[in-house]
Amino acid sequence: MNFELTKEQEMTKKMVRDFADGVIRPRAVEIDEKAEFPKDIFDEMGKLGLLGIPFPEEYGGSGGDTLTYALAVEEIGKVCGSTGLSYAAAVSLGASPIYYFGTEEQKQKYLVPLAKGEGLASFGLTEPNAGSDAGGTQTRAELKGDQYVINGEKCWITNAEYARSITVTAVSGKREDGKNIISAFIVPKDTPGMRITSPYEKMGVRGSNTSEIILEDVEIPKENVLGDPNGGFKQFLYTLDGGRISIAALALGIAQASLDKALAYAKERKQFGQPISKFQAIQFKLADIAMEVELARNMVFKAAWLKDQGKPFSKEAAFAKLYASETAFRSANQAIQIHGGYGYMREYEVERFLRDAKLLEIGEGTSEIQRMVIARQLGC
């Protein structure tokens, strides 16, 4: 086992850290307070090649691997959960399915601009009545001649308002056993009949765009079917497995930020004539956070490494997402406790970490769903 990062990975990590500290961090509070998507920051990220890290150079990417990409997500998440979430969703859920399953023509038309940072993509899976039960999808796609006509509704879709294309799932027929066939379709932005709104007032990750999508007689050519028309369900399960690694990396960033803030404050804050870091009660809290952050990091890196090696990684991705997201929430909660009354105040930022971390226990499969995935991998 080699736990050393390559020179390329170290360089990317430093580059992203410098960008995050210099460009994103000064605006993190404002992004949260105003709940505004920082499009200009994503334009800069695109120019730096961050949106194309895990894609080959032939498709406009940087030719990096999953681990390099996870390092980037962690560094961005460390300074701003909102920006980190939108970044992770744009790459893992928006662009990656096109890379995994798209035809060469689809990759050239849709993936190349995304990898070059010329725009974002979105993934429309969740519906009002189909969250964890993704098999209960109610959006319908009917083939009429050479066109699919799509009708339905999607909710809580990240980046949709700013996406140049949205991959949506829809029921396209019935299998022999009577179960629904779910297919995936690439729907370009501004396609007639697709209406996107962002009506949500969120607890955390407030600067990440979250949208509702209404599809009314949306017509797309049948060549916009992504991958196997009968394999959409398996395709988005694989997509979610990869996405869980990036959500785990984002959680890791928030957990690390919580530790950094709590440790710095504990060394500065004095009570009873000495820094509170000298009190065992505080030391034990910091020790627990540090241990859990390091364990989460090892899980995230292992899951990314397995994916890069072409080995099975579903169980490990679920391990990483479950443990890192719950670690992020616990770490932020303890950071607030260490700050005392100041931790409850917005200016000290740790309360934002808690609000942002909570979503990570819900999105891309709740903690309960992760435990189900793990149990099934164990043969239960």
Side-chain angles (χ1 to χ4, degrees):
M1 293 178 286
N2 183 358
F3 290 91
E4 288 184 319
L5 299 178
T6 65
K7 288 184 179 180
E8 290 77 12
Q9 289 166 343
E10 289 281 12
M11 287 173 59
T12 300
K13 181 178 179 179
K14 184 181 184 305
M15 182 264 287
V16 178
R17 177 177 292 179
D18 290 344
F19 176 79
D21 284 339
V23 177
I24 305 175
R25 187 186 296 278
R27 291 179 50 193
V29 172
E30 178 188 20
I31 288 170
D32 175 67
E33 288 180 348
K34 293 186 176 180
E36 291 180 354
F37 180 78
K39 185 179 181 301
D40 60 317
I41 288 178
F42 277 85
D43 290 341
E44 289 189 57
M45 289 166 64
K47 293 174 183 176
L48 282 175
L50 302 189
L51 293 167
I53 285 178
F55 306 118
E57 293 179 7
E58 63 186 288
Y59 296 120
S62 305
D65 55 16
T66 308
L67 180 52
T68 306
Y69 163 57
L71 292 168
V73 175
E74 179 188 349
E75 292 298 330
I76 294 171
K78 199 187 298 182
V79 301
C80 180
S82 295
T83 307
L85 178 65
S86 281
Y87 173 58
V91 178
S92 291
L93 299 184
S96 288
I98 302 172
Y99 173 60
Y100 295 149
F101 310 112
T103 63
E104 185 62 29
E105 183 181 353
Q106 287 172 343
K107 290 177 183 178
Q108 293 296 335
K109 184 175 181 179
Y110 297 106
L111 177 60
V112 170
L114 299 175
K116 286 183 176 180
E118 296 172 1
L120 302 177
S122 191
F123 185 63
L125 172 63
T126 305
E127 299 182 1
N129 295 306
S132 295
D133 179 20
T137 296
Q138 295 178 356
T139 298
R140 293 290 189 270
E142 183 180 356
L143 183 61
K144 294 184 177 181
D146 291 332
Q147 303 278 320
Y148 273 99
V149 180
I150 306 175
N151 284 280
E153 180 181 354
K154 301 292 181 178
C155 62
W156 305 327
I157 308 303
T158 305
N159 297 337
E161 192 175 339
Y162 295 88
R164 60 184 294 151
S165 64
I166 302 172
T167 300
V168 300
T169 54
V171 176
S172 58
K174 292 282 187 182
R175 296 188 336 207
E176 291 181 2
D177 61 6
K179 292 186 177 179
N180 288 333
I181 296 172
I182 299 179
S183 304
F185 304 87
I186 302 173
V187 183
K189 185 72 177 290
D190 299 327
T191 299
M194 182 167 68
R195 189 170 80 252
I196 302 171
T197 59
S198 302
Y200 306 112
E201 182 67 27
K202 297 178 297 183
M203 168 184 168
V205 289
R206 290 165 48 77
S208 175
N209 175 248
T210 308
S211 299
E212 178 183 74
I213 304 173
I214 305 296
L215 303 122
E216 295 180 345
D217 294 328
V218 173
E219 296 185 8
I220 60 167
K222 63 181 181 181
E223 56 262 30
N224 279 34
V225 174
L226 182 63
D228 180 1
N230 298 323
F233 195 82
K234 287 184 178 179
Q235 289 175 185
F236 71 66
L237 287 180
Y238 182 84
T239 299
L240 289 175
D241 281 342
R244 283 166 185 157
I245 297 174
S246 66
I247 292 298
L250 173 58
L252 176 58
I254 293 175
Q256 182 67 58
S258 299
L259 173 60
D260 293 345
K261 283 278 189 181
L263 181 58
Y265 181 83
K267 289 180 178 180
E268 293 172 2
R269 174 67 167 167
K270 289 186 177 181
Q271 291 285 273
F272 306 101
Q274 61 182 331
I276 63 172
S277 62
K278 297 298 182 184
F279 294 105
Q280 192 177 70
I282 302 299
Q283 291 174 347
F284 281 11
K285 289 181 185 296
L286 291 167
D288 284 345
I289 298 172
M291 176 182 65
E292 292 191 15
V293 168
E294 187 61 21
L295 291 172
R297 179 170 287 108
N298 285 340
M299 286 187 184
V300 173
F301 286 13
K302 181 178 180 181
W305 180 85
L306 287 170
K307 184 174 185 292
D308 287 333
Q309 299 303 311
K311 298 177 183 290
F313 67 95
S314 295
K315 179 169 92 264
E316 289 76 12
F319 280 159
K321 197 272 185 186
L322 172 61
Y323 188 76
S325 63
E326 294 192 348
T327 292
F329 189 81
R330 283 192 298 268
S331 300
N333 194 36
Q334 289 289 44
I336 292 172
Q337 193 71 16
I338 290 169
H339 279 71
Y342 292 109
Y344 206 67
M345 303 300 145
R346 287 202 166 190
E347 64 181 292
Y348 282 79
E349 298 193 75
V350 285
E351 61 82 33
R352 186 181 88 236
F353 298 161
L354 185 77
R355 290 187 287 107
D356 289 350
K358 186 57 196 174
L359 177 71
L360 308 184
E361 296 181 318
I362 299 170
E364 287 203 44
T366 63
S367 291
E368 291 75 19
I369 289 295
Q370 303 311 314
R371 289 180 166 91
M372 286 175 57
V373 170
I374 293 165
R376 287 173 182 170
Q377 290 285 333
L378 295 176
C380 296

